[in-house]
């Protein structure tokens, strides 16, 4: 008798299971939906936190570049050495080791002649050289740069800080990453429209947005 009852109960298991699923289908779906929303929200919050942290570091990098450029153009002994045509290794080496690149142009009868440059990776284009703005963001041949410039007599001082590389050909050594923290910034984008986390120069000039 007990064996028959046990056998009968086993036969009823699929029926009970189907009845349970039928009666609780909406509860199960709601639980799955809430779990999915929780995972998505957590991932979104983590991504936003990473973007906020990266943008703060990049903004500080811009400020540091501005301080470096101001120090460069106000260093009269250094400028005199660079313009002499015989700069020493110490003066050039200190500039080459910096993250941003320095250039000095001399205006001779309307022609801007390059007198000094601290890198061979890039050159300012005519838009930067002739720009009335002293600070801004520009896309050059190999990426986006924060540029600064200052006119002093017939001399045009320019600094370029690489922000995000944009190589035509990429490989293991040339990657289209941000110049700072490339490993942590690969999921971020950059826009010249003011529609994300905005990056500014110290004079409140809008440069670009992070997305």
């Amino acid at each position: 008798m007990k064996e028959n009852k046990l056998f009968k109960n086993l036969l009823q298991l699929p029926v009970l299971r189907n009845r349970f699923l039928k009666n609780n289908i909406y509860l199960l779906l709601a639980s799955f939906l809430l779990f999915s929303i929780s995972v998505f929200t957590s991932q979104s919050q983590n991504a936003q936190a990473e973007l906020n942290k990266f943008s703060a570091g990049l903004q500080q990098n811009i400020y540091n570049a501005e301080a470096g450029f101001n120090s460069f153009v106000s260093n009269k002994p250094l400028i005199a050495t660079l313009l002499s045509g015989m700069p020493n290794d110490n003066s050039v080496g200190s500039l080459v080791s910096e993250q941003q690149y320095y250039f000095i142009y001399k205006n001779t009868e309307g022609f801007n002649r390059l007198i000094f440059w601290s890198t061979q990776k890039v050159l300012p284009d005519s838009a930067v050289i002739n720009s009335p703005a002293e600070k801004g963001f520009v896309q050059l041949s190999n990426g986006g740069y924060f540029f600064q410039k200052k006119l002093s007599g017939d001399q045009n001082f320019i600094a370029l800080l690489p922000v995000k590389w944009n190589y035509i050909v990429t490989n293991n050594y040339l990657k289209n990453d941000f110049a700072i923290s490339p490993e942590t910034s690969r999921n971020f984008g950059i826009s010249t429209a003011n529609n994300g986390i905005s990056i500014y120069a110290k004079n409140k000039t809008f440069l670009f947005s992070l997305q």
Side-chain angles (χ1 to χ4, degrees):
M1 180 66 69
K2 290 182 178 180
E3 292 179 353
N4 291 337
K5 186 176 181 180
L6 177 62
F7 180 72
K8 184 177 180 181
N9 290 336
L10 290 174
L11 291 177
Q12 291 179 339
L13 284 177
V15 176
L16 294 174
R17 181 191 63 190
N18 293 338
R19 185 180 299 169
F20 173 82
L21 291 175
K22 182 178 180 181
N23 294 336
N24 296 277
I25 186 66
Y26 294 110
L27 179 61
L28 292 173
L29 289 175
S31 299
F32 177 76
L33 181 60
L34 289 174
F35 174 77
S36 300
I37 292 175
S38 175
V39 171
F40 176 78
T41 301
S42 177
Q43 291 176 342
S44 298
Q45 290 175 341
N46 290 339
Q48 187 62 43
E50 290 180 3
L51 180 57
N52 291 339
K53 182 179 179 180
F54 175 71
S55 65
L58 183 54
Q59 181 67 80
Q60 187 59 53
N61 203 40
I62 295 293
Y63 291 160
N64 293 342
E66 292 182 273
F69 182 65
N70 291 335
S71 177
F72 170 69
V73 298
S74 62
N75 191 334
K76 293 182 179 180
L78 173 62
I79 298 301
T81 300
L82 298 178
L83 294 178
S84 69
M86 296 183 294
N88 56 59
D89 292 340
N90 290 333
S91 61
V92 175
S94 64
L95 296 175
V96 171
S97 63
E98 289 198 25
Q99 189 178 7
Q100 68 179 337
Y101 312 135
Y102 296 97
F103 308 86
I104 303 177
Y105 288 84
K106 186 172 183 179
N107 190 305
T108 304
E109 297 180 353
F111 176 75
N112 288 291
R113 182 163 60 96
L114 183 61
I115 302 297
F116 171 79
W117 59 98
S118 66
T119 184
Q120 297 185 16
K121 292 182 178 180
V122 69
L123 284 173
D125 61 7
S126 59
V128 172
I129 296 173
N130 300 314
S131 173
E134 292 188 344
K135 304 174 190 291
F137 180 76
V138 62
Q139 290 286 349
L140 297 177
S141 59
N142 62 354
Y145 289 82
F146 166 52
F147 77 83
Q148 302 176 79
K149 59 179 295 186
K150 182 176 182 180
L151 296 174
S152 178
D154 60 354
Q155 297 165 6
N156 190 358
F157 300 94
I158 296 176
L160 294 175
L161 176 73
V163 175
K164 190 175 189 299
W165 303 113
N166 187 25
Y167 298 108
I168 297 176
V169 178
T170 59
N171 52 42
N172 291 334
Y173 304 98
L174 302 176
K175 298 180 180 180
N176 291 336
D177 295 329
F178 280 86
I180 67 167
S181 304
E183 297 297 330
T184 60
S185 61
R186 288 178 177 168
N187 295 326
F188 307 145
I190 196 168
S191 171
T192 54
N194 196 349
N195 57 5
I197 297 181
S198 300
I199 303 297
Y200 295 88
K202 275 193 173 181
N203 64 0
K204 304 303 180 182
T205 297
F206 168 74
L207 301 176
F208 53 87
S209 294
L210 294 175
Q211 299 174 330

